[in-house]
Amino acid sequence: MDEMPKWNYRIYRKVEQLWFYIKFSDFDQYSEEEIWKQRLTHKKIVYNLFKLTGGSTGYYLADIFKHKFYYCGPTLQFVKVKLKDLNGLAEVTTLKPSGPIEVFVSEQAINPTEPLDESYLIYEMTHINRFRPYEVKQLASPANLKDFAISKRELYQRFLEINGGQLGFYVYQPSSDEVLYFATIAELRYEIELISTDRTRAS
């Protein structure tokens, strides 16, 4: 293989109910870290890829820098065509000029076990600039912040920006990357009831 996707592109494949991340040896050493730095995870990427076609079989492309997602087609050849259209291919020799290299392609299974739109993080501001996690069974998910590709410092900063840091309850929804604010527990519980009702109707 003499060409590779540029650093900001990642390739995924859907087969039946399974999702796979296409890995390129020697070039994926820091891939997980780069994806997370762009406030993404494999789970968030797959969620956006699924929305393109409803999960059609084939190959997909994610631009982690621009947060853009593409369905390419049933074979890797379609991915190469899409990358050429996007100017997203680079010569292997230009990526690592020191010595001969051999590129191996493998796959990493991605298992989006929990739909992102059902995961929320809730915090309560009890004092100025002081947050604490707030557990609400119907809404909160006890997930590691890293699973949502956001640091605690960044999350708190976004909470403070939403309304100047008023006391109350703050909710982070990773699927939409949205921050919500509720002044009282009553308002928060009302929102929880709405979400629970919508889920019941959907099921």
Side-chain angles (χ1 to χ4, degrees):
M1 179 177 293
D2 57 358
E3 291 178 305
M4 291 279 295
K6 289 184 178 178
W7 76 272
N8 53 308
Y9 289 100
R10 298 296 185 274
I11 300 173
Y12 293 80
R13 183 166 76 103
K14 172 73 184 309
V15 182
E16 295 180 351
Q17 301 303 314
L18 301 176
W19 288 88
F20 296 91
Y21 166 57
I22 309 298
K23 299 181 68 176
F24 295 86
S25 62
D26 295 333
F27 298 99
D28 274 329
Q29 183 177 0
Y30 303 105
S31 183
E32 304 293 332
E33 181 180 344
E34 288 175 357
I35 289 173
W36 194 81
K37 283 181 178 178
Q38 302 304 319
R39 296 183 59 199
L40 289 169
T41 63
H42 288 307
K43 180 188 281 191
K44 292 183 77 170
I45 291 172
V46 166
Y47 177 83
N48 283 281
L49 298 179
F50 179 84
K51 291 193 297 184
L52 293 175
T53 65
S56 296
T57 297
Y59 288 84
Y60 295 77
L61 193 64
D63 183 339
I64 64 171
F65 184 75
K66 296 181 179 178
H67 287 210
K68 290 187 175 181
F69 308 94
Y70 309 90
Y71 175 71
C72 299
T75 69
L76 270 174
Q77 187 61 32
F78 287 92
V79 178
K80 191 170 185 179
V81 171
K82 174 60 74 173
L83 284 169
K84 285 183 176 179
D85 290 342
L86 298 170
N87 191 29
L89 282 173
E91 295 289 335
V92 169
T93 54
T94 64
L95 296 174
K96 189 177 180 182
S98 58
I101 60 173
E102 188 173 359
V103 179
F104 296 96
V105 180
S106 60
E107 292 185 340
Q108 172 187 338
I110 304 298
N111 183 23
T113 56
E114 183 182 358
L116 281 174
D117 57 352
E118 294 183 1
S119 301
Y120 296 80
L121 294 175
I122 303 177
Y123 287 79
E124 180 184 7
M125 180 184 277
T126 55
H127 301 82
I128 298 300
N129 295 341
R130 183 177 298 177
F131 294 96
R132 69 177 183 185
Y134 189 81
E135 293 293 332
V136 180
K137 185 177 180 181
Q138 299 97 319
L139 190 60
S141 176
N144 189 311
L145 277 175
K146 190 170 183 178
D147 293 338
F148 299 100
I150 190 170
S151 67
K152 184 177 292 186
R153 180 177 180 178
E154 182 180 359
L155 185 63
Y156 288 0
Q157 183 61 39
R158 293 185 63 189
F159 287 163
L160 293 173
E161 290 173 354
I162 193 173
N163 61 8
Q166 298 181 40
L167 302 185
F169 298 87
Y170 295 78
V171 179
Y172 176 64
Q173 183 177 3
S175 62
S176 61
D177 194 33
E178 184 179 8
V179 171
L180 307 173
Y181 168 76
F182 303 95
T184 66
I185 187 63
E187 293 177 7
L188 177 60
R189 286 175 176 166
Y190 177 73
E191 183 69 14
I192 292 170
E193 290 176 2
L194 287 180
I195 293 172
S196 299
T197 301
D198 290 342
R199 288 180 186 170
T200 303
R201 289 174 180 172
S203 59

